[in-house]
Amino acid sequence: MGLFIGFDVGGTHIKHGVIDDEGNELECDEFDTPDNAESFKEQWQKVVESWQKSHDIQAIGVSFPGHINTHTGQAARAGALSYLDEVNLYELFGGLTDLPVIAENDANCAALGERWRGAGRHYESFVCMTIGTGIGGGIVTEGDLYRGAHYRAGEFGVIPVGNKGECMYEVASARGLMEACRKALALSEDDMPDGEALFTRMDSDVHLREAINEWALYLSRGVYSVISMFDPQAVLIGGGISEQEKIYTLMEKHLETFEEWDALRVPIMPCELGNQAGRLGAVWLARQKWASRA
C-alpha cells in the first residue's frame, strides 16, 4: 500500500495528513500559516520528517494558492503567501526533502479530490466552484484538469455578474453575502450573526430576504456563465456556504428565468469532502507522479 503526505496550504492554516493510495486519510494535523518564507520552509520540513518517522512515505502532494505551473513548479502568484510569489516550488521543496513533490492550485486540487472520492466521482466532466472570501474553481474535462494556457483556468471570481458590472468575488462570494446582509440588517461587523442564522432569519425579515435573494441572483449569473462556456455534466459548489440548502432553491428560481436554461440545465450540488478535498486532490496527483516513476 502506497502512502503519501497531502498538504493544503491556506492563508490562515496549513493542513496536512497521511493518505493511502485509495484516498483514505490515516492521520491529519495542521499548523498556523507562517508569515515569512524561512518559517514556512522550517515548518514544512519538520512536518515531512515527522510523518516519515512513522510512515513509509512515497511522495508528497501540495495544494497551494495562486497560479501554479504544475509541470515546472513555478508559482507566478502564491495567493496570501505573497512571500512565495515568483518562487519555484519544486526547487524550494527539493531543498527540504528527497521525496517526489508535486504542487497544484488549491481549487484545482479540490476539484480532483471531489473527482476521486467526492461528489465528482460519478462524472467525467464537471466544474467545481469554491465560494469563500473569494471565488475560485476547478474544471475537469474527460476525467482530467483543464488548466488553461497560463495555468489560470477556473478564476471564476472575475466574471462580472453585478448590476453595475461587479465581479463575482465582490458580490457573489461569502464575503459579499455577509456585507449585503450587514447592510440589510444595519449592523456592525462585530454584531453580525453567522451564515446559518442568516438563512434561518430570512424567512421572517423581508430586508434580509431581499439581500440574500439578490446575492443568489449574482451567483446564478456566474454559474450560468460557467455552464454555458464549459457544458459540464454537473456543477459542484464548495465552501461552507454550500451546505445551505436554500441557496440551491434560490438559484433554481433565478436560473429558470434565464434564456436557454432548459437546454443548458445540469445538476448543481454541494461538494462532499469539505476541507479534505484539497489534500486528497494533491495526493491524487502525487500518486500519479509516483506511479510514473515506479
Side-chain angles (χ1 to χ4, degrees):
M1 178 177 66
L3 296 179
F4 306 85
I5 301 173
F7 280 91
D8 187 4
V9 178
T12 305
H13 303 290
I14 297 179
K15 300 177 176 63
H16 53 90
V18 175
I19 298 170
D20 68 22
D21 53 13
E22 294 184 351
N24 302 301
E25 189 162 54
L26 308 183
E27 298 183 65
C28 63
D29 204 347
E30 66 177 61
F31 59 91
D32 293 341
T33 303
D35 58 9
N36 63 78
E38 288 306 311
S39 295
F40 175 88
K41 290 190 288 185
E42 181 181 341
Q43 289 270 56
W44 192 91
Q45 185 177 41
K46 186 182 298 184
V47 166
V48 170
E49 291 174 348
S50 176
W51 285 132
Q52 283 186 285
K53 289 178 182 177
S54 54
H55 298 281
D56 182 18
I57 304 297
Q58 273 70 50
I60 301 170
V62 183
S63 169
F64 204 84
H67 302 149
I68 313 298
N69 183 329
T70 193
H71 302 296
T72 67
Q74 191 69 22
R77 287 180 55 196
L81 284 74
S82 57
Y83 51 80
L84 294 179
D85 284 353
E86 300 298 339
V87 167
N88 188 295
L89 298 178
Y90 294 163
E91 292 177 3
L92 183 150
F93 295 135
L96 304 175
T97 181
D98 57 2
L99 289 170
V101 180
I102 193 163
E104 178 61 88
N105 168 266
D106 49 6
N108 283 346
C109 283
L112 287 177
E114 292 291 337
R115 165 78 172 124
W116 189 14
R117 293 292 300 265
R121 64 189 181 278
H122 304 300
Y123 303 106
E124 287 294 312
S125 298
F126 66 89
V127 169
C128 181
M129 184 178 288
T130 54
I131 303 174
T133 304
I135 292 183
I139 304 158
V140 174
T141 60
E142 299 181 359
D144 204 356
L145 279 176
Y146 174 72
R147 295 182 172 93
H150 305 94
Y151 302 93
R152 297 172 185 165
E155 292 288 347
F156 303 138
V158 299
I159 298 174
V161 296
N163 296 332
K164 297 180 180 179
E166 300 93 337
C167 294
M168 283 193 79
Y169 75 84
E170 296 177 270
V171 294
S173 62
R175 180 176 58 185
L177 172 63
M178 294 300 287
E179 179 60 18
C181 291
R182 186 190 68 77
K183 291 179 179 178
L185 295 171
L187 294 174
S188 68
E189 291 186 10
D190 293 337
D191 293 330
M192 280 290 291
D194 61 24
E196 186 171 351
L198 289 172
F199 279 95
T200 300
R201 185 170 171 179
M202 68 178 283
D203 293 331
S204 58
D205 189 314
V206 63
H207 299 296
L208 183 61
R209 186 163 61 250
E210 288 175 353
I212 294 176
N213 185 60
E214 186 171 51
W215 170 84
L217 170 62
Y218 300 147
L219 180 59
S220 300
R221 288 172 177 167
V223 169
Y224 182 82
S225 297
V226 168
I227 291 172
S228 69
M229 283 186 283
F230 296 103
D231 186 27
Q233 293 173 286
V235 174
L236 311 183
I237 305 294
I241 202 167
S242 68
E243 300 173 7
Q244 295 292 335
E245 294 182 8
K246 288 181 180 178
I247 72 171
Y248 302 97
T249 302
L250 290 171
M251 278 199 295
E252 181 63 25
K253 183 188 72 173
H254 290 302
L255 288 166
E256 290 286 358
T257 68
F258 295 171
E259 188 176 358
E260 299 297 326
W261 176 240
D262 284 342
L264 296 173
R265 183 190 305 270
V266 297
I268 301 170
M269 65 189 74
C271 292
E272 293 181 359
L273 299 177
N275 61 28
Q276 189 187 37
R279 299 195 297 280
L280 280 173
V283 163
W284 188 84
L285 289 171
R287 185 185 67 158
Q288 282 191 321
K289 186 170 185 176
W290 175 64
S292 69
R293 294 184 172 196

